[in-house]
Structure formats: structure tokens, C-alpha cells
Amino acid sequence: MERPRRMDLLHSGDYSGNDPGGAGDRGGARGDVIQEVDFFSKSRQRDEAASCLPENPEKYSPSPPGEPSINMGLHLLTMNSGGSQQPAVEEKKNSGCSNSNSNSNKLVALQAELDRLGDENRKLRSMLDHLMKNYTDLQNQLLLAMQQQARKAEDSQKDNMNGMPSPVPLTAKQFMDPGPTCMQDTEDPSKSGEEEEEPSPLRNHLDHASSFKEQAIVPLTKRRLPTDNIPSEQTSPSWVSNKSPKQAQERNSDQTSELACRKARVSVRARSDAPMISDGCQWRKYGQKMAKGNPCPRAYYRCTMAAGCSVRKQVQRCAEDKTILITTYEGNHNHPLPPAAMAMANTTTAAATMLLSGSTTSKDSLTNPTTGFYQPMPYASTMATLSASAPFPTITLDLTQPPGPVQLHRQQTPATPFSLPLPMYMPQKVPGMVLPPGLQFGQQQPSVMDTVTAAIASDPNFTSALAAAIKSIMAAPRSSDGTAGNSTSPPALHVVPGSPQFPQSCTTFSTNTN
DNA sequence: CGGATTTGACCAGCGC
DNA sequence: GCGCTGGTCAAATCCG
């Protein structure tokens, strides 16, 4: 019973505190972090048990220097094995202290236990590293494949259209890259004319837009790392106040297509009674409005975990089913994320990449039988939708669906004001959809898309990563009203959206926690 | 008292 | 040009 509780602390809303976006988030987050650190920190154990366990200090030595400590909490929580042992260990320690003279056996047992935990810790780290490596490798391969695909499409179109301009070139890359980061700044000519500024949300915004082309071919691992502190606010313009003259200027200077790209969103839907899901971040509510067509008000939140973080999110209940909570994130955090948040962030990034790449359906279960690394999940079935009906594409991970194969859908409306890369326009899954003339050619190469899609969908790394992230959410029993510890919500799935690590994206997580 | 939330007002984009 | 809608601001209010 102890184990579940720990998972709650780490995964649920503890990072977000008890009240949505409230001060409680900070406290909760801190506590959780400590929990994770404690869990893995042998040094702490050593300190606590020092008086009782003076011998073999090396056995309690912390993990090797330089070894990453981040993410560990997440994976441990997700797949943990040794975590549950902690309480028992502590009990042993206590008893050992009080009866040290007569409990040498306990000391020995305790040492053995610590050794075992240490081994498990190393194994878990190793597994984590391996997993992350595979995952990022897959992403890199995907990006390369998409890039090649776009080039081929462009060439073929030119041949077929006798030199007519192809819509693919610029936009294709833009859409392929959801990623943020803006680290690589770009040689984009449009930027050269802009006034130089120090890093700021606006600046990042601009950089992000202009760097889109390059990002398309930049490995996600480089573009975004969990510990990435680089300000990468590629927040979409829609989230940025348009009252600022400077912003207006920047907007004008940017290309229309770039704007569209920056508005890309990624979302996840889930059921939850809580007013707001816990996503490991601290949010401040700055507005609420009634949206057309939905009796439920839409709340607007801004990330306050770090100054200058431009990530914002919308929280609204589904009009059709009020038990479904839809949280939409947009922009990238310019600060480190809690492990729980990073898990979802990575997952959504992968999902978005997959969707944007043109993949439409994955027949794979989220549970990867080959790895056995992740346990089957009740909400294994997830549907992701990419919709361009809005001025910007929205990727939605629907966790409200009954168990079943994962489905990834892309939707594109004919009214889309910007051109999308070939892969983006493969509406096979969207009946009745009409594509702009310039996009029609995309249908000429369905087989390629299918191939890419199948490759991605069948990749164990992706499905495993997705499964892990979702599982972590499911494991969070606490309600996620965004405030971690909200007791009002029933134990259930609480989405812990990583903050959208999507470059310019808005991640909507709807949690199904009923 | 400081920080978070509420809520009406304001602004921009878009369609007619 | 006007109205609608979405998004944001900021003063008032609430709360710990």
C-alpha cells in the first residue's frame, strides 16, 4: 500500500500544489522533489542511518558523479521496483537504532537491502538511458525520413506540374518541426532585419518562428532536453498579447506561414472531476471567459514556475461530456520541468512529431509486449488528433477512449491559410476532407506515408515512451485540479501534462479520471 | 499583507 | 464598418 502512495506524491499533482496554479503548487512540488531525491539518494539514507550503520559507507555512496539525476523519479515511479522497499528499510533502520546492540543481524540485512536497492537504482538508470536513447534515435530517424520525403515530393511535383511552384518547401519543414528550441538560431533572412534584443519571450518567439526551417532537421534531442533551461518560448502569437506595438511589428515581419506554425498545439483529453489537472507546473489564472458553444467557462492560465516563462494553457470542460477535462498548453517552458511533466512532454512531443510527420494510425498497443518494460494500462487506448480546423494545428491525445489500439488522426481543413508539407496532407483518415489544390499531390504518394507511419507506429520505443507517460498519469491518484493535493477529485487518472515541450505548441491534455 | 483569483473591460482578428 | 469571438489586462476581491 505504501507504493501506491508514493506514486501519488510524485505523479499526481503534487507538483502543482493543492490549488490550481496556487501557491500550494510550490510546496507540493518541492515536497515531491524531495521525495524523489530521497528515494534515489543513498547519501541521505547514509546520513539518516549513519549513527546506526557506520560500516561500509561506500555501500551508501551516491550514484556516480555526473550521473544524471533528473527523470529518475519519473521512471522509478513509473516502473519502479525498489521504491516500495523504502519504508521497510526505514523501519529496519529505526528498529536497528533502538536495538543496535542486539540486532546485528538486522544491520546485515539492512546493508544487503541497501546494496540491492543500489543495484536496482543503477539498473533503472541504465534502462532509462537506454530507453531515452532509443527514443531520440527514432525521432531523429523520423525527421530525416520526413525531410527526404518532402524533397521527393517537391521534386515529383515539379515534374508533374511543369515547374509550378511547390507549396512544400518552406512549410513542410515548418510543420515537421514542432520543436522548440530555438536554440539554433537561424540564418533566416527575415530575422536579419529585426532589431536585436536580449533574450526575451518576444525575442524567443521571433527566433522560434524564424528557426523553424532549421528545426525541422534538427534532432529532437538537441532541440529539447528535459533539463533544457534555455529560454525557448516559442509561444504562439495567439498567446502573446497583441497589444504590444513591438509584438505587432514582429508579427508583421514574420511570414504568415510561420505564424501558423507557431500556433501549433498539442493536446490531451481525459476525464477528471478536478477543476484543473495537475501537470507538475505552477500556474496562475489570468482570465476566464465563456466560449461559444460551450456552457462551461474556459480558464486561462500562465506558467509561473519561472519568470519569463510564456507557457500558457486553457482549461475547459468538454461541452458534450463535462466529465472530460480539456487542458490546452502552448509554448515551451524556459525552466526545468519536474519529472512527471517531462514524461508527458516527451510523449506529446513524440506524438506530435508522429502526427505532423503524416502518420495516421498506429495499430500498436501502448503496451509493448516485447519490452515488458511497461505494464498494461487501463487507458492504453489513446487517440491523437491533429486538427487544422483552427488557425493552427492542434494535436490532441484523447485519453477518454475505451481500451483499444492507439489511433492517430490528422485533420486538415481546406481553409487552412498556409501550406503544409506533403506529409501533413494525408487525409486518408478524414472522410470528406477537401484539400487545397496545392496539397493534392500529397495523395500521390500514400504508400510512402503509410510506410513511415507504420514504421513509427510499430516502433517500440515510441509506444513504450507513450505508455510510460500515460501510465504515470494514470498512477496519479490525486486529483489534479492543478493543485496537487486536491482532495475533491476521486482517485483516478490525472493528467500530468508535461508542459508542453512542444516548441510552439499547445498541448491539450484532457484527463479521464473517472 | 502579499499573492492568487475573479471579473469586467479592452483589444485584435475575422466574417458578413 | 459593424458585430462577434477569443484572448488578455488590470482593478477589485479573496484568502492564507
Side-chain angles (χ1 to χ4, degrees):
Chain A
M1 295 309 120
E2 193 63 17
R3 177 179 175 178
R5 187 190 297 177
R6 280 181 176 275
M7 292 178 75
D8 292 352
L9 289 173
L10 293 172
H11 284 292
S12 72
D14 306 16
Y15 277 110
S16 53
N18 292 333
D19 52 346
D25 291 356
R26 276 172 269 184
R30 188 176 308 152
D32 290 345
V33 171
I34 290 173
Q35 282 288 344
E36 289 181 69
V37 171
D38 288 350
F39 185 85
F40 292 100
S41 174
K42 291 184 178 178
S43 61
R44 183 175 182 275
Q45 292 177 7
R46 177 183 54 195
D47 292 342
E48 292 178 348
S51 61
C52 300
L53 304 172
E55 9 180 80
N56 298 332
E58 63 277 10
K59 290 190 177 184
Y60 306 101
S61 64
S63 50
E67 192 165 349
S69 60
I70 57 173
N71 289 337
M72 291 307 295
L74 171 65
H75 289 271
L76 280 175
L77 291 174
T78 300
M79 37 208 201
N80 150 43
S81 53
S84 60
Q85 303 292 337
Q86 182 90 353
V89 172
E90 291 179 356
E91 284 185 17
K92 289 180 180 178
K93 276 189 286 187
N94 292 335
S95 63
C97 290
S98 61
N99 302 307
S100 59
N101 292 335
S102 62
N103 291 326
S104 61
N105 290 339
K106 288 185 178 180
L107 287 175
V108 173
L110 180 58
Q111 290 175 8
E113 181 68 9
L114 290 173
D115 288 344
R116 188 182 67 78
L117 291 175
D119 290 341
E120 287 184 359
N121 189 10
R122 282 188 287 273
K123 289 179 181 178
L124 289 172
R125 291 186 187 218
S126 176
M127 292 171 74
L128 174 62
D129 291 342
H130 183 68
L131 178 65
M132 293 303 295
K133 182 178 182 299
N134 289 340
Y135 178 60
T136 54
D137 287 346
L138 175 63
Q139 288 180 321
N140 293 342
Q141 292 176 21
L142 171 62
L143 291 172
L144 290 173
M146 291 189 299
Q147 185 180 19
Q148 293 175 0
Q149 169 88 9
R151 289 175 180 173
K152 289 180 181 179
E154 181 181 3
D155 293 341
S156 65
Q157 185 181 33
K158 286 180 179 179
D159 292 342
N160 293 336
M161 301 180 77
N162 294 327
M164 287 182 66
S166 169
V168 173
L170 177 88
T171 56
K173 288 181 178 180
Q174 291 174 336
F175 265 86
M176 286 192 297
D177 187 352
T181 67
C182 330
M183 306 218 41
Q184 13 311 132
D185 260 310
T186 118
E187 322 79 300
D188 191 321
S190 65
K191 196 168 134 190
S192 62
E194 306 265 349
E195 59 184 89
E196 294 299 321
E197 302 175 296
E198 65 240 302
S200 69
L202 291 176
R203 178 78 233 169
N204 288 333
H205 197 289
L206 189 61
D207 290 347
H208 182 68
S210 60
S211 63
F212 245 149
K213 302 176 191 68
E214 286 70 27
Q215 290 177 7
I217 58 175
V218 175
L220 291 177
T221 52
K222 290 182 179 180
R223 286 184 285 120
R224 173 163 287 288
L225 295 174
T227 57
D228 197 332
N229 292 339
I230 299 153
S232 59
E233 333 268 25
Q234 38 324 65
T235 309
S236 84
S238 65
W239 294 97
V240 177
S241 173
N242 41 13
K243 293 179 180 180
S244 170
K246 180 179 291 185
Q247 289 178 337
Q249 181 180 357
E250 289 179 351
R251 277 207 311 256
N252 290 337
S253 65
D254 286 342
Q255 298 300 318
T256 301
S257 60
E258 289 177 343
L259 287 172
C261 290
R262 283 179 289 165
K263 287 184 177 182
R265 297 179 177 182
V266 176
S267 66
V268 174
R269 295 161 43 97
R271 294 181 191 284
S272 176
D273 291 336
M276 191 172 88
I277 62 175
S278 139
D279 54 16
C281 294
Q282 181 182 354
W283 303 93
R284 174 182 175 132
K285 188 176 184 178
Y286 67 89
Q288 179 172 308
K289 285 202 64 122
M290 294 300 297
K292 183 181 179 181
N294 191 333
C296 301
R298 176 183 301 165
Y300 299 89
Y301 296 87
R302 181 176 293 147
C303 179
T304 59
M305 285 189 78
C309 182
S310 64
V311 175
R312 299 180 188 190
K313 74 174 181 180
Q314 298 176 351
V315 177
Q316 185 175 36
R317 292 201 172 277
C318 179
E320 293 75 19
D321 185 352
K322 293 182 175 58
T323 63
I324 297 174
L325 189 64
I326 302 173
T327 303
T328 302
Y329 295 83
E330 182 167 338
N332 280 314
H333 293 280
N334 63 351
H335 52 84
L337 293 171
M342 287 190 293
M344 182 54 79
N346 290 337
T347 298
T348 56
T349 298
T353 299
M354 210 157 87
L355 289 169
L356 291 174
S357 70
S359 91
T360 56
T361 304
S362 170
K363 301 301 182 184
D364 277 8
S365 166
L366 287 174
T367 301
N368 182 5
T370 62
T371 63
F373 202 67
Y374 301 102
Q375 301 172 6
M377 303 172 289
Y379 293 89
S381 73
T382 300
M383 183 178 74
T385 301
L386 173 61
S387 174
S389 59
F392 37 81
T394 299
I395 299 167
T396 302
L397 296 178
D398 190 348
L399 301 180
T400 65
Q401 301 301 311
V406 175
Q407 283 191 318
L408 300 174
H409 292 282
R410 287 176 300 116
Q411 296 177 344
Q412 182 67 46
T413 58
T416 303
F418 46 83
S419 299
L420 292 175
L422 172 61
M424 292 299 295
Y425 291 90
M426 296 300 291
Q428 302 100 312
K429 302 295 181 181
V430 185
M433 179 182 292
V434 178
L435 296 176
L439 298 174
Q440 297 296 330
F441 75 93
Q443 296 176 331
Q444 298 172 358
Q445 300 178 340
S447 61
V448 175
M449 289 306 304
D450 289 344
T451 300
V452 174
T453 298
I456 297 168
S458 63
D459 187 288
N461 291 326
F462 173 78
T463 55
S464 296
L466 182 61
I470 295 174
K471 183 173 182 290
S472 67
I473 294 170
M474 311 290 293
R478 289 215 192 154
S479 113
S480 35
D481 49 17
T483 48
N486 188 335
S487 59
T488 59
S489 61
L493 162 63
H494 288 285
V495 170
V496 184
S499 37
Q501 296 253 333
F502 245 165
Q504 45 263 0
S505 62
C506 159
T507 311
T508 304
F509 292 106
S510 31
T511 46
N512 253 337
T513 30
N514 281 343

